[in-house]
Amino acid sequence: GLRSYEISIAGLLAFDDSLSVYTTTTGINAVLTARTSQTWILGTGVSGDVKLSGAGYWTSLEVGSPDAESNMTFSATLQGSGQYYVGTF
């Protein structure tokens, strides 16, 4: 049968750098708007460690507004397209 997968991520945002990662033609907003397939790689990047990779489409992005004493948060979901691969760095 057909198999599918989804990758969900969450973290903290710091807007103390330029916003180009969000606003350029290759930034997050452009990728979500264009609905183009994106290659993903997951792992430590350390030689010999496990590396997962594949392709998929970002289907959601949420950014939370901080209050006076907390950090800004984000979460996103990528819907896998095709097979994912297991290898090493």
Side-chain angles (χ1 to χ4, degrees):
L2 296 177
R3 296 182 185 182
S4 64
Y5 64 91
E6 199 173 80
I7 298 172
S8 297
I9 60 172
L12 301 175
L13 288 176
F15 285 116
D16 56 357
D17 200 359
S18 81
L19 293 178
S20 63
V21 70
Y22 303 100
T23 59
T24 63
T25 58
T26 57
I28 293 171
N29 187 55
V31 168
L32 284 169
T33 303
R35 298 181 181 160
T36 56
S37 179
Q38 301 295 304
T39 301
W40 60 267
I41 298 173
L42 181 65
T44 65
V46 175
S47 181
D49 280 1
V50 173
K51 173 176 88 171
L52 301 172
S53 62
Y57 296 87
W58 290 105
T59 57
S60 71
L61 173 65
E62 294 182 25
V63 178
S65 299
D67 61 27
E69 295 188 21
S70 63
N71 295 308
M72 181 175 259
T73 60
F74 79 95
S75 63
T77 303
L78 179 131
Q79 179 65 49
S81 173
Q83 182 171 338
Y84 66 88
Y85 301 93
V86 180
T88 57
F89 281 100

